[in-house]
Amino acid sequence: WFAIGPGDRLADEGVVRLRGGAFFDRDESFALVAHADGGHTLSSVSRALSGAFAFEAVWRYDAAWNGIGAQAVGVANGKPIEIEITTDDDRATVHVMQDGTRLPVKSFALPAGAMIDIEPAALPTFTMLRRYDAMRGGVQSTPWIGRSATRDSVLTHGVAHTRLLGEQIVGGRTVLH
């Protein structure tokens, strides 16, 4: 999926426990690698407590936290699924193999600065906090594209709004919320 190269370092890792809706209750283990060129790779393993889905995914970002690609492989609703989202200048392309069948490729305009998501993974949304400009403050908007692993759905022009409510130190690290 990705390699840790010279000058790369593990920037963060842990487990996020998400609760609040039976189908989507899950644990996501993750690792965030900071690359020597300033870019980042986020990897995660997401498993629904209900057994409805389990998948591994990798998202790649440039130095400005712009999404440049994502891949996922796993099982959703009892069927194997593979997803790849690639970007090329101003276009995004979504490739999906579901239960042994290659679905039609979807290609669409890529909004500048778009975050790439593979739902139901929650971790890509945390990249919005890493991009948040605390000096500017207020509500900040992030373009959002993605593909669902649990439904036949592609998001082509979403917008996520973020507002920083505060910061706290947890385990020696600053956490934004």
Side-chain angles (χ1 to χ4, degrees), residues 15 41 105 135 141 157 161 172:
V15 176
T41 297
V105 172
M135 296 298 288
S141 300
H157 289 88
H161 304 287

Side-chain angles (χ1 to χ4, degrees), residues 64-171:
W65 287 99
N66 295 310
I68 56 176
Q71 293 175 284
V73 62
V75 175
N77 305 313
K79 298 177 181 178
I81 188 165
E82 295 177 30
I83 299 169
E84 181 178 28
I85 302 173
T86 59
T87 62
D88 183 20
D89 295 325
D90 60 353
R91 298 214 51 87
T93 304
V94 179
H95 302 268
V96 179
M97 175 77 79
Q98 188 168 23
D99 201 20
T101 302
R102 186 165 303 283
L103 301 182
V105 172
K106 300 207 177 187
S107 183
F108 50 91
L110 177 67
M115 180 187 75
I116 298 175
D117 194 9
I118 297 177
E119 181 267 340
L123 287 163
T125 60
F126 296 126
T127 63
M128 289 185 293
L129 293 176
R130 297 199 183 261
R131 293 170 56 162
Y132 187 86
D133 182 349
M135 296 298 288
R136 193 173 91 206
V139 175
Q140 297 176 23
S141 300
T142 302
W144 191 1
I145 67 162
R147 171 58 159 89
S148 175
T150 59
R151 297 172 287 138
D152 187 13
S153 176
V154 175
L155 176 66
T156 60
H157 289 88
V159 177
H161 304 287
T162 308
R163 182 175 60 142
L164 181 63
L165 299 176
E167 299 179 16
Q168 68 186 96
I169 305 297
V170 177

Side-chain angles (χ1 to χ4, degrees), residues 13-16 27-31 42-47 57 123:
E13 65 179 329
V15 176
V16 177
D27 292 337
E28 290 187 37
S29 57
F30 71 94
L42 173 64
S43 66
S44 103
V45 176
S46 183
R47 298 186 190 288
L123 287 163

